[in-house]
Amino acid sequence: MTDRKLHPKTLALHAGWRADPATGAVAPPIYQTTSYQFQSTEHAGNLFALRELGNIYTRIGNPTVDILEQRLAAMEGGVAALAVASGQAASAFSIQNLARTGDNVVSSTDLYGGTWNLFANTLGDLGIEVRFVDPADPEAFRRATDDRTRAYYAETLPNPKLSVFPIAEVAAIGREYGIPLIMDNTAAPLLCRPFDHGAAIVVYSTTKFIGGHGTSIGGMIIDGGNFDWEAFPERQPLLNTPDRSYHGAVWTQAVKAMGPIAYIIRARVILLRDLGAALSPFNAFQILQGVETLPLRIYEHCRNAQAVADWLITRPEVATVIHPSCQGGVQRERADKYLTGGYGGLVGFELAGGVDAGRRFIDSLKLLYHVANIGDARSLAIHPASTTHSQLSAEERLATGASDGYVRLSIGIEHIDDILADLDQALAA
Ligand code: PLP
């Protein structure tokens, strides 16, 4: 394409694809195929033995999906990526690629409810203990660490609290022990690049802002290529000891010639191979369409959300507004340090009238959709305590920040006057 280092805004349109060599098609084709004709038995053998990278079977890789992987890796400043069927699969794989029964992970308490459930229950049932710590004090990660800690995990801009995570502080602690920081950057694409602050792995629910149009569930794991997995080999046994399920490959050695991609290769050829949460080529196409306009949308989301936060503060019905611009002290410092170009598209608030007022507000909305999603181009609203966070105990809910009266808005890119008019009539209902 060009040797010049391109801006993320340009990479969103160009990375990973130029034109179809067979037809000249400029839009990425949807390679709706399960399998790929091998050139010879030697070629097939080389692909299976990873002597050569290429298409084998769409559960493990697909050319349309590959374009999306390359594009997001480039925009994020990473070296390689693995697309999966959902954000949940991305979170699960990101951990399972390092930890197995008897191991543990230290995670921020400030998480999406589904991730909390995955960590507290499903990973727990698999024998992987997730230790939750309050990220207000980064040192809490160190205190929870022991010899079996394999990763740290957090969300950049976690909803509902919207308190930006201390990425550099916790990444630095982890690097002292050989522990990578995995960041879920779902709510802050382009606004934050966690690799620039020392994170080793980034995960996304591409269902949200990246896809941007509420059409397709998807997830992505991006390898920063910036973590020395061999520095503390006893800390990362899954990458440093022979893998019996892949003819004894030691991942840090097996793919060394291809670059610092041991982590992401293992996720593909072991976890995706065995657990099968592959992204469909059609969804990859839809998500690619979203990526192309992400740089336009994300800042408009930010501008509109800021206007909504400023307006909500003036309303007597509203007890508290949750938005980085309303925070002070270290929280505000972190928001300003880690987010560039805006504070994201999410706004939370608590109504003075509590749960009943919250329900009345949601039921009265006419323009905003009442849905369990964020990051759609349309404005969305939900009451987390009775929906996304309802499967958590009351105590767990409070730890994530989803109090009973909390209403979450994901502000879209409609005209701001129309958004405010709908909020106004719903507050008055
Ligand atoms: N991470 C965050 C921050 C989310 O908000 C969500 C979904 O709401 C997920 C992960 C899970 O993503 P998906 O719904 O694509 O599985």
Side-chain angles (χ1 to χ4, degrees):
M1 199 179 353
T2 161
D3 291 337
R4 235 184 104 249
K5 200 166 175 295
L6 300 173
H7 293 88
K9 190 175 179 178
T10 308
L11 294 169
L13 288 154
H14 291 279
W17 180 254
R18 183 64 187 169
D20 182 34
T23 63
V26 170
I30 302 172
Y31 289 95
Q32 193 68 30
T33 181
T34 55
S35 31
Y36 307 85
Q37 167 81 355
F38 301 123
Q39 292 152 22
S40 63
T41 49
E42 188 193 355
H43 176 228
N46 284 344
L47 292 176
F48 275 86
L50 297 178
R51 283 190 290 273
E52 201 179 310
L53 294 183
N55 298 312
I56 297 176
Y57 186 60
T58 280
R59 171 155 38 78
I60 301 164
N62 170 280
T64 311
V65 175
D66 177 63
I67 298 165
L68 178 63
E69 290 168 342
Q70 288 193 48
R71 193 159 295 182
L72 289 188
M75 290 169 69
E76 201 63 46
V79 292
L82 177 69
V84 288
S86 67
Q88 283 299 102
S91 305
F93 279 20
S94 73
I95 302 285
Q96 287 178 294
N97 205 33
L98 297 173
R100 58 187 160 186
T101 307
D103 295 338
N104 67 73
V105 168
V106 183
S107 170
S108 166
T109 46
D110 299 356
L111 293 177
Y112 161 60
T115 309
W116 183 290
N117 255 328
L118 165 70
F119 284 6
N121 301 308
T122 299
L123 289 186
D125 289 347
L126 294 173
I128 299 169
E129 181 199 355
V130 180
R131 301 174 173 179
F132 295 100
V133 298
D134 184 347
D137 175 14
E139 285 295 319
F141 279 78
R142 189 195 304 277
R143 289 193 293 275
T145 298
D146 67 15
D147 288 348
R148 299 291 297 265
T149 303
R150 304 287 179 239
Y152 292 161
Y153 189 98
E155 292 180 16
T156 304
L157 178 60
N159 80 77
K161 279 189 192 165
L162 302 182
S163 299
V164 172
F165 184 78
I167 304 172
E169 293 87 330
V170 174
I173 295 170
R175 282 173 187 269
E176 288 178 36
Y177 302 94
I179 299 171
L181 173 62
I182 302 168
M183 289 303 306
D184 179 340
N185 203 41
T186 297
L190 291 181
L191 307 177
C192 177
R193 297 212 314 175
F195 296 143
D196 296 345
H197 306 287
I201 304 296
V202 166
V203 298
Y204 278 108
S205 165
T206 53
T207 314
K208 317 295 185 197
F209 294 95
I210 288 180
H213 297 82
T215 65
S216 310
I217 301 282
M220 188 68 70
I221 307 171
I222 307 174
D223 190 333
N226 60 1
F227 196 82
D228 186 354
W229 302 102
E230 290 179 76
F232 298 82
E234 69 293 345
R235 175 67 74 185
Q236 301 298 347
L238 289 182
L239 295 179
N240 285 291
T241 53
D243 192 328
R244 72 177 186 282
S245 86
Y246 220 103
H247 43 70
V250 176
W251 292 110
T252 47
Q253 309 307 317
V255 292
K256 212 169 212 166
M258 299 174 189
I261 57 170
Y263 174 92
I264 207 74
I265 283 281
R266 184 186 186 277
R268 183 185 300 279
V269 302
I270 303 298
L271 296 176
L272 199 56
R273 179 196 68 179
D274 294 354
L275 300 175
L279 184 70
S280 82
F282 183 72
N283 276 16
F285 175 83
Q286 294 280 21
I287 295 163
L288 272 166
Q289 291 288 289
V291 172
E292 294 191 353
T293 56
L294 175 66
L296 289 180
R297 284 183 288 108
I298 193 72
Y299 302 109
E300 190 66 10
H301 280 290
C302 292
R303 272 190 292 276
N304 278 350
Q306 183 67 62
V308 166
D310 293 344
W311 181 84
L312 285 170
I313 290 171
T314 67
R315 296 295 304 221
E317 302 92 336
V318 174
T320 325
V321 178
I322 297 101
H323 186 258
S325 68
C326 304
Q327 296 163 350
V330 70
Q331 285 308 337
R332 181 60 179 271
E333 282 168 26
R334 286 177 188 160
D336 289 334
K337 174 174 175 184
Y338 291 113
L339 302 181
T340 308
Y343 292 126
L346 305 176
V347 183
F349 65 97
E350 304 225 26
L351 284 164
V355 185
D356 290 343
R359 284 182 199 275
R360 210 166 44 245
F361 170 83
I362 296 263
D363 286 335
S364 306
L365 291 168
K366 293 193 171 78
L367 182 74
L368 275 76
Y369 286 86
H370 177 202
V371 297
N373 194 19
I374 58 170
D376 194 315
R378 302 159 189 82
S379 291
L380 318 172
I382 203 161
H383 177 232
S386 61
T387 56
T388 51
H389 288 61
S390 62
Q391 284 135 29
L392 277 57
S393 70
E395 204 176 40
E396 289 172 337
R397 250 196 339 261
L398 276 181
T400 69
S403 61
D404 287 348
Y406 185 99
V407 174
R408 182 187 75 202
L409 305 176
S410 174
I411 298 300
I413 61 172
E414 301 95 339
H415 195 289
I416 187 61
D417 293 352
D418 296 329
I419 298 171
L420 294 181
D422 196 38
L423 297 177
D424 190 38
Q425 65 80 25
L427 281 180

